[in-house]
Each structure stands twice: as structure tokens, then as C-alpha cells.
Amino acid sequence: MTTLAIDSINPSEITSSNPVKRVLLLKPRGFCAGVVRAIDIVQIALDTFGAPIYVRKEIVHNSYVVTDLAKKGAIFVNELDEVPEGARVIYSAHGVSPAVRERAKERGLKVVDATCPLVTKVHVEAIKFAKQGYSLVLVGHRDHEEVEGTQGEAPDVTQVVSTVEEVEALVVPDESKVAYLTQTTLSLDEAGIMIDALKKRFPKIAGPHAQDICYATENRQVAVKKVAHGADLVLVVGSANSSNSNRLVEVSKNLDTNSYLIDSADAIQPEWLDGVNTVAVTAGASAPEVLVKDVVDYLQSMGYGDVDEVEVMPENVRFGLPPEIVRAITPAPSEVRP
């Protein structure tokens, strides 16, 4: 496999007129820092405290990851009432509302918080705006756990919108005192359209100092935008409930390049490859690299012999572990050698 800089790709050389079948493997792809952190937290908890370890909701939105951790002793539940009183529970990377935290206290649960720090940033912003008397507009998908958690920080003053029509129908007590936040895994284009609509509807609207779209969501979308024009097909490795993975498919389709979301290589339909010479492969931020490798191996078995990794930008973000885990794995002073 060779690695190419994005500037070295000549679209005229990788269009369907080229008889050479090849794979363009996008980079960055797959696990983001928040996902790595969340999975590490569950694995360290299992190693340190022993099974079972309860996890509220899916730790990240990927069926392979969840199944693998379940085999090791993690028990995934929808609500805290399913966790035995006094047991240890981990919050997923998508975050939880204050109501969930309060319920954990009522049940005496030992909590480990795996919320992505970038989601926590949005929660902090919601609290700040609410304390300052703003009406909050949260741009996102209502059924997503991240949105539920963020809205829960200030439920009485927060409205969720998903379409421009919903923006236009908003009613607030004071149109000069409105602020917006966004789900971290939206597409850049989708968020931009919604924010523009909000600014048109409320000219004095306030927003976060830095965008809420997370760096990994943005980077993976940018990579697709850079490469999709030179591919006949884009395959996105990720689960159906992964918001950022679905957005990658949308980005590709919006550029008129056919795209499919696949959980694994087994989901690839051979007819998708009819007349296709160049396949671009990427992965959502919660999809493990082993699944990407399986996809590439399958494509090579189907005659796509050339595999070029296309690095659009470097990505070196790391997040620290939560204090609950750090304390658990830090040796006691007597155990530390002088």
C-alpha cells in the first residue's frame, strides 16, 4: 500500500475511464480521540474492577465494538433502573443529562463518566447561556443521545431544531436574547445551513466561541469532499445509528458520488461494484480499523489490486482519562518505588 498526499491525486487519472481497479483509503478515518478514550475506559474498568461493568446505552455507536466489550463482561443497559443498586456504571461517550446523574446518586451507583470532552464543552455552553437568560436553540437530531443529554442541561429554555422550517417556526420570549448550539456530529454543510437560517431569523443570536462540530467529524467530511470527485463509489464503514458515519454518506451523495454505509465487508453487495474502477473507503469516528482492513481485503479479492492511502490532514488529538479511572489505576504511595 502506498501513501499519497491529496495534492498528488489527479482526478483525470482515477475516473471510471481508467481500467485499473483501485482503492483510495482515506486518512484520517475511524476512531477519534473521544471514542478511543471511551473504549479504553470500559476496558480498564473491566481489568481493574472485574466484570460485570454496566454501561448506560452503547458506549459508542458501533455494533462491533459493543459486541466485543459485551463478550468481555460489559453489560449495556438503556436506563439506570436496570443497574443493581450500588453497582458501577459507565456513561457513554454521548453524555447524559443532569436528571440521569441525579438518578445515579439516588441508586448509589459508582459512576465513571466516559462523556467525550467535546460533548462536555457543549453542555458547559448550554449551562452558561441558560444562566445568562438566553433562550437556547439546539441544532441536531432529537432522537440522538447527545442531543437528549445537552437539552437536559436546560430543558425549560431549550428547543431542538432539525430543519429550516422548524427554525422559521420558532417562538421565544425575547428574540434579542437567543443563543444556538449544535450537535457535535452534524455535517458541516447541514450545520451551516441551519446556522444561517437562525441568524436570519434572529439577527442578534449568540453562539459558541468555537464551532461545536467536533474536529474528527469535520476532518472525515473534508477528506470525503477532497476525494469523492475522483471516485466511482464511496464506502463508509460504520453502524446505522452512528450520526457522523451517516453524515459521511450524505456528504458523498451531495457531491453526486454513490455511497453506502456498511457495518462490515459482509454488507457489500457485489452489484455495487459493477462498472466501478475506483472505490474510496473511509470509516466513521466509532468504527474500528479491523473492519476497514476487512473491507480492503474484500475489495482486493474482487480485483481492486492497487490500494493507495490518501492522507488529507494529520490528526494527533488525545484526551486524558477521567479521574475515577486515574485514581483506580494509580498505585498507592507505598507501592511506588523511590
Side-chain angles (χ1 to χ4, degrees):
M1 181 173 65
T2 59
T3 300
L4 302 176
I6 187 65
D7 293 340
S8 68
I9 298 178
N10 184 345
S12 65
E13 294 177 355
I14 57 175
T15 58
S16 58
S17 61
N18 191 328
V20 176
K21 289 188 174 184
R22 70 189 301 195
V23 175
L24 299 178
L25 187 55
L26 276 59
K27 186 178 181 181
R29 63 180 178 275
F31 282 176
C32 65
V35 166
V36 171
R37 177 180 182 270
I39 295 171
D40 283 349
I41 288 170
V42 178
Q43 291 179 331
I44 293 171
L46 286 167
D47 293 341
T48 304
F49 305 114
I53 294 291
Y54 292 86
V55 183
R56 184 184 182 275
K57 307 292 186 179
E58 293 187 350
I59 186 67
V60 297
H61 285 158
N62 184 269
S63 58
Y64 179 95
V65 170
V66 170
T67 299
D68 181 61
L69 291 173
K71 291 177 182 177
K72 297 176 181 178
I75 298 177
F76 293 89
V77 299
N78 285 320
E79 297 301 339
L80 294 184
D81 289 347
E82 301 172 56
V83 181
E85 288 193 11
R88 183 169 276 101
V89 65
I90 298 176
Y91 296 149
S92 80
H94 309 104
V96 299
S97 69
V100 172
R101 297 181 188 278
E102 185 60 32
R103 184 57 178 157
K105 290 180 181 179
E106 292 172 358
R107 294 181 56 77
L109 302 179
K110 303 179 184 72
V111 171
V112 180
D113 193 349
T115 301
C116 173
L118 298 180
V119 174
T120 299
K121 164 185 171 290
V122 183
H123 281 230
V124 171
E125 290 166 344
I127 295 168
K128 179 194 72 174
F129 281 127
K131 285 183 175 179
Q132 293 174 348
Y134 284 87
S135 295
L136 271 174
V137 180
L138 177 57
V139 180
H141 305 128
R142 287 181 181 80
D143 58 347
H144 196 280
E145 291 149 35
E146 180 189 326
V147 169
E148 293 173 357
T150 303
Q151 185 178 20
E153 294 289 1
D156 295 337
V157 298
T158 304
Q159 299 182 67
V160 179
V161 293
S162 302
T163 66
V164 171
E165 289 74 22
E166 289 176 347
V167 170
E168 294 171 350
L170 283 170
V171 177
V172 295
D174 182 354
E175 294 194 355
S176 67
K177 198 74 171 177
V178 181
Y180 74 87
L181 300 170
T182 75
Q183 183 178 337
T184 63
T185 54
L186 298 179
S187 79
L188 296 171
D189 295 336
E190 174 186 13
I193 291 170
M194 294 294 289
I195 291 169
D196 286 345
L198 283 167
K199 289 179 177 179
K200 181 178 179 181
R201 175 73 176 79
F202 305 106
K204 295 183 179 180
I205 195 168
H209 291 299
Q211 70 169 21
D212 291 331
I213 306 298
C214 91
Y215 78 94
T217 295
E218 178 176 1
N219 290 351
R220 282 147 189 73
Q221 290 178 23
V222 169
V224 169
K225 287 183 177 182
K226 293 285 188 181
V227 175
H229 65 283
D232 303 307
L233 173 68
V234 174
L235 294 178
V236 178
V237 182
S239 292
N241 62 340
S242 168
S243 176
N244 75 87
S245 298
N246 278 286
R247 304 295 81 76
L248 293 174
V249 173
E250 291 176 3
V251 168
S252 177
K253 289 183 175 180
N254 287 340
L255 294 172
D256 296 324
T257 301
N258 202 13
S259 182
Y260 295 98
L261 178 64
I262 54 173
D263 237 327
S264 67
D266 293 338
I268 300 174
Q269 302 298 312
E271 57 267 26
W272 295 351
L273 304 176
D274 290 346
V276 170
N277 290 320
T278 301
V279 181
V281 177
T282 188
S286 52
E289 185 65 15
V290 63
L291 298 181
V292 176
K293 183 180 183 302
D294 289 346
V295 169
V296 173
D297 289 347
Y298 172 81
L299 290 172
Q300 288 187 303
S301 74
M302 297 296 287
Y304 293 83
D306 292 346
V307 179
D308 293 320
E309 187 172 64
V310 182
E311 182 168 10
V312 177
M313 65 193 71
E315 193 173 271
N316 301 300
V317 179
R318 297 289 184 273
F319 293 139
L321 295 170
E324 305 93 338
I325 291 293
V326 173
R327 286 194 296 267
I329 62 178
T330 301
S334 61
E335 298 174 358
V336 179
R337 294 180 179 179

